[in-house]
Amino acid sequence: MKQTKPNKDPHNGIHIYQHKDTPTCGHPHKNGTGLEYGHGQEHACSCGAEHGHKHEDGLTQEHGCGCGAGHGHRHADGHMQEHGCSCGTELGHGQEHGHMHGQSCGCGTGHGHKHAEPGGHHPDISAADGVKLAYLVENLGCANCAAKMERRIHELPEVNAATLTFATKQLRVAVTAVAADDADKLLAKFQDICSSIEPEVIVSRQAVSQKGKKALQPTASKEAAQKSRKQKISLISILTGAALFILGEVLEQAGIGASFLPPLIFVLAYLILGSEILAAAGKNIVRGQVFDENFLMGIATLGAFAIGNFPEAVGVMLFYRIGEYFEEAAVSRSRSQIMDAVDLRPEVVNLVVGDGTKAIPAEEAQPGDLLFIRPGDRIPLDGVITEGESRLDTSPITGEPVPIRASAGDPVTSGCINLSGSLSIRVEKNLEHSMVTRILDSVENAAASKPKIDRFITRFSRIYTPFVVAAAFATAILPSLVTGDWRHWIYTALTFLVISCPCALVLSVPLAFFSGIGSGSKRGILFKGGVSIEALGRISTVIMDKTGTVTKGDFALQKVTPFHGYEEEEILTLCASCEQQSTHPIGVSITAAAREKGLALEQPASLEEIAGQGICATLSAGKVLAGNRKLMERFQIDTSGCSQSSFGTEVLLAVDGKLAGCLAVSDTIKPEAQTAIQALKKLNIRTAMLTGDASESAQAVAEATGIDEVHAKLLPEGKLSKLQEIRKEHGAAMFVGDGINDAPVLAGADVGAAMGSGADAAIEAADVVFMTSNMEAVPDSITIAKATTRIAWQNVVFALGIKAVVMALGLTGYASMWMAVFADSGVAMLCVLNSIRLLYKK
């Protein structure tokens, strides 16, 4: 094992290897695994892992983790590889606790997927092996049709998995390498399938510039003009048909004109309103698409004509068209609102050229370019400030409401807003790799990850329509044979046909989860998919790491206790004089506290480091000892007057053989930690903390914040074992850690959440990523997840309930086709509106 020269910690004489050795320091610290050690702890990390070692490529590589789980190995290509997980959790295809697996998985997929459906194929594109490709599906107008397209594409032999997301108009497929090589032929097959179901659909390969909001807009002015013209024609036909319908009703009721005139007007109105639907139904029948919405609506209204209900046939077609028009508008608006919240990518950037600037498309900016950012502008790309000073609003990325100060040399993240001064930044990452695109990708990937309820509705819709159509035929024929009232029962059967399309269900459930994903992203919470939201809504326990999650991870001097006539500042000065060369967090925090008070530090005349105990130095005040109790015992210093600190690490100071004082140093608890824990308790969520720190320190943090249970002095495998025990006792658990260092525990939890930074590794590994380090994001994420799942079920119950009521009323003779139209288009529109209210929930 290659090592760099050890850097001795002057505090306890401990060797701290900067790169590739397992730290053996007795202080509480984080060593790359996220494991904390208390002061005076005899043993260093014994898991056998080389945690968090930085290599020349800037990536971390953690090989040989002794916990038995080869989690989170980071390679040069930037991808996660998880070899041979042996954490003890038995994983089959029926398990859904979120365990990440790699090459040892017997299902034959690639790295880092999650098992979900027992005995079925992988439901999500992210879980499948093969070459991943993304396509844009334009002019997609029917959620149920989208489900049919996805099913047909998935059945292709060269396709391993396919997901078509109606909300984002994206088709994501995993195909064999051979098929990927012949991209044109593959695209042609997708186009044939999609256009056979919806003739106007256009499938194209998706570029970075077509993501987000742009994916929801026509990509060319010609297509935009065609769409606008189509909308105008649709509106004109609706208004014309409505006018003729009203005229026909007036003439019929008033008995004005010849008897043939009202029926003629109704027929004309019907042709204006329904000709497009009848034509689409005819084309689809030729293609083998019989039970689609156009065919069912056409049969229902033509049937009404056949039994002489001219006004009702026209009225039903009119209100169906109105419902479809407003439903499309509501869906389009909700898509745009969600994408407005998550797509923060700029259209253009101001490139510095000589003494001026030039506006160029954002995707053309390259690393090394200088960009000019005016006050009020959004930071377009990840970079570093080269000139200027300002305050940045980071809330669009992290959800943090308090602006931060930034000046030359500081890194800046795309998506933040420049509030005051002008800035010049040097681009570090192009648009494709900047944070704004990574967030958008995460949201779009999440939208393609379908939860159980969505998969259930998709399967249910395949059964629902044939069942209702069969019920309609049975209703039309069987009672009529008995009663002889063919007109009444045929009319009842026609109402069944109107409500037999499952669009309200197929559309509203995924849109509810998409809204939940968008709502989370506005608060700096990235959900990795509907599966994650669904699982998060069921958890009963939140388990947290300590350092970086409950505490800030920054050690600070908490208390100075002087003895035998010494003053606090005198004790601090003496100790800081011994510690001023230390690079360890304990020594650094003591030195920083002394400098904040403006104390003058003295260079020791001599300094001896005693491994595992502390420092012996010679100062003008005499022979000074600074270290733990073992150091005091070694030099026979009486410490009977100094009680053991209950929180943090104690550093004892002795001068000329007499105890002079005690300094307490500890990690700082986040100010919002107590509020966040209380919010979790209001949600009836139990809390627990797992840490490698000393019991006294961990217990003090738990008591200060209100955490229900705490388990200290845990190695990585111990954390995983304890998490499994808690899951067994209390049910589904969420683990919140500070990134990839907690990979074994993140993987073992039902939901793994990475706290802070938004680093690549964290985004890849966790089910939920909190872009902010604020603990209040934890209860916020659970609240959003519960609300999302609740709204999805509300939509399901409401849609099916209304349809069932209308069917029951139809059988008893109280329902009309007007009510059936409401149960179809009206319910769909209400479900869409119910779904997007998550975006406005505070």
Side-chain angles (χ1 to χ4, degrees):
M1 176 176 69
K2 181 182 177 182
Q3 298 174 342
T4 60
K5 184 178 179 180
N7 171 27
K8 289 191 176 182
D9 175 20
H11 185 274
N12 268 354
I14 306 302
H15 291 83
I16 300 180
Y17 288 97
Q18 295 174 339
H19 294 287
K20 301 190 177 182
D21 202 351
T22 303
T24 57
C25 176
H27 300 305
H29 68 283
K30 287 183 69 181
N31 68 347
T33 63
L35 184 63
E36 303 136 17
Y37 295 94
H39 182 81
Q41 200 168 327
E42 297 267 335
H43 301 288
C45 178
S46 59
C47 70
E50 297 175 351
H51 298 285
H53 305 156
K54 285 281 187 181
H55 291 267
E56 290 74 19
D57 57 3
L59 300 175
T60 57
Q61 194 173 27
E62 300 94 353
H63 289 283
C65 177
C67 68
H71 299 284
H73 301 165
R74 186 92 170 151
H75 292 274
D77 60 358
H79 296 294
M80 299 298 300
Q81 200 170 23
E82 299 87 1
H83 298 279
C85 176
S86 56
C87 64
T89 305
E90 294 180 7
L91 287 179
H93 282 247
Q95 282 193 298
E96 203 173 3
H97 70 282
H99 206 105
M100 300 292 291
H101 266 250
Q103 290 184 349
S104 64
C105 173
C107 70
T109 67
H111 304 298
H113 69 269
K114 296 188 179 184
H115 296 293
E117 287 190 321
H121 63 75
H122 293 290
D124 298 322
I125 186 68
S126 59
D129 56 354
V131 180
K132 309 292 193 304
L133 301 173
Y135 296 85
L136 188 62
V137 184
E138 297 180 82
N139 303 326
L140 186 62
C142 169
N144 193 38
C145 296
K148 293 177 183 177
M149 294 173 193
E150 178 187 290
R151 189 164 60 249
R152 290 267 302 275
I153 291 171
H154 180 80
E155 289 170 355
L156 291 174
E158 57 267 63
V159 174
N160 298 331
T163 301
L164 177 53
T165 309
F166 181 72
T168 59
K169 295 187 177 181
Q170 281 188 323
L171 169 64
R172 292 171 179 260
V173 294
V175 300
T176 61
V178 175
D181 289 339
D182 198 348
D184 292 340
K185 186 180 292 185
L186 195 63
L187 177 60
K189 287 187 177 182
F190 296 161
Q191 179 64 62
D192 289 343
I193 289 172
C194 292
S195 57
S196 71
I197 297 172
E198 276 199 82
E200 296 180 354
V201 163
I202 299 173
V203 184
S204 59
R205 282 297 301 271
Q206 186 177 36
V208 175
S209 60
Q210 293 177 294
K211 290 177 176 289
K213 289 178 283 190
K214 295 179 183 178
L216 306 180
Q217 303 167 353
T219 56
S221 57
K222 183 180 178 182
E223 291 173 10
Q226 287 177 345
K227 184 174 182 180
S228 177
R229 186 163 56 251
K230 182 181 176 183
Q231 289 175 336
K232 287 179 182 178
I233 292 172
S234 179
L235 183 59
I236 291 170
S237 66
I238 290 172
L239 293 175
T240 305
L244 290 172
F245 171 70
I246 293 170
L247 177 62
E249 279 284 282
V250 170
L251 292 177
E252 187 174 63
Q253 296 298 323
I256 301 173
S259 59
F260 67 84
L261 189 57
L264 184 63
I265 292 174
F266 285 133
V267 170
L268 180 61
Y270 181 82
L271 290 175
I272 292 173
L273 292 167
S275 58
E276 187 177 330
I277 290 172
L278 294 176
K283 291 177 182 177
N284 288 340
I285 290 172
V286 172
R287 296 187 181 97
Q289 302 289 330
V290 179
F291 293 118
D292 74 330
E293 196 168 23
N294 296 309
F295 172 76
L296 296 170
M297 186 56 62
I299 289 294
T301 50
L302 289 174
F305 265 114
I307 60 176
N309 283 356
F310 287 19
E312 191 148 7
V314 177
V316 165
M317 183 61 77
L318 171 64
F319 281 93
Y320 170 74
R321 289 288 306 276
I322 292 172
E324 288 290 291
Y325 185 86
F326 283 108
E327 180 187 331
E328 183 179 349
V331 171
S332 178
R333 182 170 176 78
S334 64
R335 282 168 166 167
S336 298
Q337 286 174 330
I338 295 168
M339 279 306 176
D340 283 340
V342 300
D343 190 358
L344 306 177
R345 296 174 310 148
E347 296 280 348
V348 296
V349 296
N350 294 316
L351 178 69
V352 176
V353 181
D355 295 331
T357 61
K358 176 186 176 184
I360 63 170
E363 55 263 28
E364 291 183 10
Q366 297 299 321
D369 288 347
L370 285 179
L371 305 181
F372 180 70
I373 314 297
R374 298 164 299 188
D377 285 353
R378 195 181 293 277
I379 303 296
L381 304 171
D382 293 0
V384 175
I385 298 175
T386 59
E387 186 179 343
E389 183 176 336
S390 182
R391 295 181 70 82
L392 300 180
D393 176 8
T394 64
S395 61
I397 300 298
T398 66
E400 290 277 10
V402 181
I404 62 170
R405 185 168 294 280
S407 57
D410 291 337
V412 288
T413 302
S414 53
C416 300
I417 299 171
N418 181 27
L419 296 178
S420 49
S422 297
L423 298 174
S424 291
I425 69 167
R426 183 180 67 252
V427 177
E428 295 289 312
K429 297 179 181 178
N430 60 17
L431 180 63
E432 187 174 358
H433 298 101
S434 284
M435 180 61 74
V436 285
T437 302
R438 298 215 316 268
I439 290 174
L440 178 61
D441 286 342
S442 179
V443 171
E444 290 181 338
N445 286 332
S449 174
K450 297 185 178 181
K452 276 184 178 179
I453 182 175
D454 194 356
R455 298 197 297 270
F456 160 75
I457 289 300
T458 302
R459 290 194 298 267
F460 175 79
S461 65
R462 297 174 64 182
I463 302 169
Y464 169 79
T465 300
F467 172 79
V468 176
V469 171
F473 279 106
T475 301
I477 296 171
L478 298 180
S480 300
L481 293 174
V482 177
T483 64
D485 191 356
W486 288 88
R487 180 186 176 87
H488 168 75
W489 292 111
I490 288 175
Y491 181 82
T492 301
L494 295 178
T495 64
F496 283 19
L497 291 179
V498 172
I499 63 175
S500 61
C501 185
C503 264
L505 293 169
V506 178
L507 169 63
S508 62
V509 170
L511 192 59
F513 280 89
F514 190 37
S515 297
I517 292 164
S519 178
S521 68
K522 287 173 67 176
R523 295 164 174 80
I525 302 168
L526 297 184
F527 297 105
K528 297 300 285 290
V531 175
S532 301
I533 293 180
E534 202 171 45
L536 194 55
R538 294 195 302 265
I539 66 162
S540 58
T541 306
V542 170
I543 303 170
M544 293 158 278
D545 182 29
K546 176 177 157 292
T547 304
T549 302
V550 183
T551 63
K552 291 182 178 180
D554 298 326
F555 287 91
L557 179 65
Q558 303 293 337
K559 185 179 180 183
V560 177
T561 306
F563 300 110
H564 302 110
Y566 284 92
E567 297 293 330
E568 286 189 18
E569 287 191 355
E570 192 175 0
I571 297 298
L572 181 55
T573 302
L574 290 171
C575 192
S577 295
C578 298
E579 297 283 4
Q580 59 186 309
Q581 300 303 320
S582 175
T583 58
H584 189 275
I586 297 293
V588 169
S589 63
I590 292 172
T591 305
R595 285 178 176 152
E596 282 177 13
K597 292 179 177 290
L599 302 179
L601 304 185
E602 179 184 350
Q603 288 295 332
S606 65
L607 187 144
E608 179 187 0
E609 302 166 3
I610 301 172
Q613 296 179 15
I615 295 171
C616 177
T618 301
L619 300 171
S620 59
K623 184 179 180 180
V624 179
L625 300 173
N628 57 22
R629 289 179 181 265
K630 287 185 178 181
L631 181 67
M632 300 297 117
E633 291 170 6
R634 176 171 181 161
F635 287 89
Q636 299 179 340
I637 306 297
D638 183 11
T639 60
S640 58
C642 178
S643 59
Q644 180 75 39
S645 174
S646 62
F647 178 45
T649 300
E650 62 175 13
V651 179
L652 301 177
L653 189 79
V655 180
D656 290 336
K658 186 181 261 188
L659 186 66
C662 177
L663 298 88
V665 179
S666 69
D667 195 357
T668 308
I669 297 174
K670 291 181 180 177
E672 77 281 358
Q674 187 175 10
T675 305
I677 298 301
Q678 289 174 350
L680 288 171
K681 289 184 176 181
K682 287 180 182 177
L683 293 169
N684 297 317
I685 302 291
R686 184 174 178 80
T687 55
M689 185 171 70
L690 307 181
T691 178
D693 205 352
S695 298
E696 296 82 5
S697 179
Q699 193 62 46
V701 172
E703 289 174 2
T705 55
I707 293 173
D708 295 319
E709 62 179 288
V710 59
H711 303 277
K713 294 184 178 180
L714 295 174
L715 297 176
E717 66 270 27
K719 285 186 179 183
L720 186 58
S721 299
K722 189 59 66 176
L723 179 138
Q724 290 170 346
E725 289 177 18
I726 294 172
R727 287 179 68 224
K728 194 174 292 185
E729 183 178 355
H730 299 294
M734 172 188 189
F735 180 79
V736 185
D738 59 351
I740 194 60
N741 295 326
D742 293 304
V745 205
L746 282 169
D750 296 270
V751 178
M755 174 70 75
S757 80
D760 289 343
I763 290 176
E764 289 173 14
D767 300 303
V768 183
V769 177
F770 302 128
M771 302 298 289
T772 173
S773 60
N774 193 309
M775 269 196 71
E776 290 178 343
V778 179
D780 285 350
S781 67
I782 296 172
T783 301
I784 292 171
K786 287 182 178 292
T788 300
T789 306
R790 185 167 58 248
I791 286 173
W793 279 110
Q794 284 172 359
N795 289 341
V796 170
V797 172
F798 178 66
L800 289 179
I802 293 296
K803 289 176 184 287
V805 167
V806 172
M807 289 178 70
L809 290 174
L811 288 172
T812 55
Y814 292 102
S816 65
M817 289 178 66
W818 302 79
M819 292 176 65
V821 170
F822 171 76
D824 180 44
S825 298
V827 165
M829 189 167 60
L830 291 175
C831 287
V832 168
L833 296 175
N834 187 44
S835 296
I836 63 171
R837 67 187 173 92
L838 268 171
L839 292 174
Y840 304 100
K841 192 170 182 179
K842 304 218 174 179

